[in-house]
Amino acid sequence: MSEEPVGGDLSRLRQLNASAVLRELRGDQPLTLTELSKRTGLSRASTEDVARDLLGRGWLAEVAPALGSVGRPARRYRFNAGAGRLLGVDIGGHKALALVTDLDGEVLSQTRIAVEPEAGRRERLAVLDRCVAKALAGAGVEAGQIWSTGVATTGLVDGSGKVMLSDSLPEWSGVDLAAHVRRLVPGPVRVENDCKLAALAETWHGVARYAKDVVFLLAGLRTGAGLIIDGKLHRGFANWSGEIGALPAAGWLRAPEHLTNWLEGTAQPAAPSSATSASSPAPVEFESVFIAARAGDPGATQAVRDYVRDLAVGTSALVLTLDPQLVVIGGGFSRSADVMVEPLRRELDRWCLRTPEIRVSAFADEGVALGAVRLALDAVESTITTGLRP
């Protein structure tokens, strides 16, 4: 890393240097100044200056010398994850989920509150409020102690934190989520699409930590995608990237109907309904389709195969476009990925020039909220040289 200011932007240089040091100290082991200097490419003097500054801000902690050390031991530093608290919120069709974590994403408190899919704007926001309040109380944290908040939602979100378009939640288009959440907690509030944040969680603490190009599939009551390109979340020009499901030919709009039809045929053979309607089955009901398929039920097995076949159409288009290293399956249906992965791989083999590795998220439907935490941490890290907290 160059240590000469570019265009006289010394503040930007300090931020880059601090980010480099923090990145290296994210590991499990504390490092000395000499080790940090080698890993970051900074001079020893610059490394010491950055470490002193970050130590004063509370980002770093000095580690006590090991017992039995001979002579004067070198100072060792570690990232101080306990210096602050973050809040990540996922507000969706059937639930609100809030996580309070430290700066490493270690969950200190988690609260989940169910919400009816047909709930309007006011009712859904009231559930969000209760969820946040309960999560803060569970962590023993006051609202003012939250350094930053990330919020995940369905639909298209603009840069100010407003939902531009949501066709799955009633009265949700136009909701200014960032402004609403700022009434609950101070500090930066960032809002992003749930699929994108689930992808971000996988590259932070999930199965895609070491991959640079990833297609993330949010498989659940809705189907969506998040894209990681060259190690970074890809948003696109207007933040609409990954919305291939809006194209009917991609198959994602009709995919859940195969599961719904099986449920209706076995439980309550009434008039057909769309899997995305307000009267659609709850997530726990869909689990019974996968359980039956796992047990060998022919009808359930066919329903899952038809679901995966439609899922594979849009997925193949993304794979052929991006040539990713990984395809990660997450979302509520990922709990049943054992009956989905092989059929999906066979379908991708049919259409793709190269079928990437397919891995299953370990987060299930909690990955979105964890991605919201990562979004909150991004906001905190961007304040390193601005004089804001920490």
Side-chain angles (χ1 to χ4, degrees):
M1 177 178 296
S2 172
E3 296 188 44
E4 292 297 322
V6 178
D9 191 356
L10 182 59
S11 177
R12 177 60 177 163
L13 177 66
R14 290 175 58 206
Q15 184 175 8
L16 291 172
N17 290 349
S19 296
V21 169
L22 287 173
R23 184 167 55 249
E24 295 301 329
L25 287 172
R26 287 287 191 172
D28 295 331
Q29 299 298 322
L31 299 174
T32 64
L33 289 175
T34 299
E35 291 168 335
L36 276 172
S37 176
K38 289 180 179 179
R39 294 193 182 195
T40 59
L42 301 174
S43 69
R44 169 66 183 247
S46 293
T47 304
E48 186 171 10
D49 181 60
V50 170
R52 186 185 305 112
D53 181 48
L54 293 175
L55 190 67
R57 293 170 179 263
W59 281 92
L60 302 187
E62 190 170 342
V63 179
L67 294 176
S69 299
V70 179
R72 184 178 179 181
R75 291 183 174 181
R76 297 184 301 155
Y77 300 90
R78 63 172 176 82
F79 179 70
N80 185 15
R85 297 291 181 260
L86 304 171
L87 176 65
V89 182
D90 173 19
I91 179 71
H94 287 79
K95 73 174 189 309
L97 175 62
L99 306 178
V100 177
T101 78
D102 65 14
L103 299 180
D104 263 339
E106 186 71 25
V107 178
L108 307 175
S109 176
Q110 174 176 312
T111 298
R112 180 191 300 261
I113 299 179
V115 58
E116 294 297 327
E118 63 270 19
R121 173 185 301 191
R122 181 174 297 180
E123 183 179 351
R124 197 174 303 276
L125 290 175
V127 170
L128 183 152
D129 294 354
R130 295 199 303 273
C131 193
V132 168
K134 189 172 180 180
L136 293 177
V141 172
E142 298 289 336
Q145 295 175 278
I146 297 295
W147 280 8
S148 180
T149 299
V151 183
T153 180
T154 62
L156 302 175
V157 182
D158 68 11
S160 71
K162 180 182 292 186
V163 180
M164 296 182 290
L165 176 66
S166 176
D167 57 6
S168 59
L169 300 184
E171 303 177 353
W172 205 239
S173 296
V175 171
D176 191 340
L177 270 179
H180 180 85
V181 174
R182 287 191 192 100
R183 301 188 188 104
L184 308 177
V185 288
V189 176
R190 291 186 176 183
V191 183
E192 186 54 273
N193 171 266
D194 52 3
C195 299
K196 290 182 174 65
L197 291 186
L200 192 62
E202 294 298 335
T203 60
W204 185 30
H205 282 319
V207 297
R209 288 192 301 276
Y210 307 109
K212 296 186 69 175
D213 299 290
V214 180
V215 169
F216 175 86
L217 297 179
L218 187 72
L221 301 183
R222 295 178 304 105
T223 306
L227 310 177
I228 302 295
I229 299 178
D230 198 24
K232 298 179 181 179
L233 178 65
H234 182 67
R235 290 180 167 89
F237 176 75
N239 207 28
W240 287 26
S241 70
E243 295 293 335
I244 196 170
L247 184 67
W252 288 3
L253 292 174
R254 65 176 177 267
E257 293 179 1
H258 301 295
L259 308 178
T260 303
N261 291 340
W262 185 87
L263 285 171
E264 292 174 344
T266 57
Q268 45 178 12
S273 65
S274 169
T276 58
S277 70
S279 59
S280 64
V284 67
E285 296 180 70
F286 278 104
E287 183 66 19
S288 64
V289 187
F290 297 105
I291 292 173
R294 191 177 296 113
D297 180 280
T301 300
Q302 188 60 50
V304 172
R305 285 177 179 171
D306 291 341
Y307 166 76
V308 171
R309 186 174 297 115
D310 281 341
L311 185 70
V313 177
T315 305
S316 296
L318 291 173
V319 168
L320 287 167
T321 302
L322 298 177
D323 185 27
Q325 178 181 347
L326 287 179
V327 170
V328 179
I329 302 176
F333 292 176
S334 66
R335 294 189 178 93
S336 302
D338 59 306
V339 296
M340 292 172 51
V341 170
E342 284 308 314
L344 179 60
R345 181 177 287 112
R346 288 194 296 269
E347 290 296 321
L348 294 184
D349 285 342
R350 291 179 59 199
W351 304 110
C352 298
L353 299 177
R354 182 192 68 85
T355 300
E357 180 183 359
I358 302 175
R359 303 195 67 180
V360 181
S361 172
F363 300 136
D365 66 344
E366 297 173 1
V368 172
L370 186 61
V373 170
R374 177 64 248 191
L375 186 69
L377 183 56
D378 286 345
V380 173
E381 290 182 346
S382 71
T383 69
I384 291 173
T385 60
T386 65
L388 301 175
R389 285 192 305 175

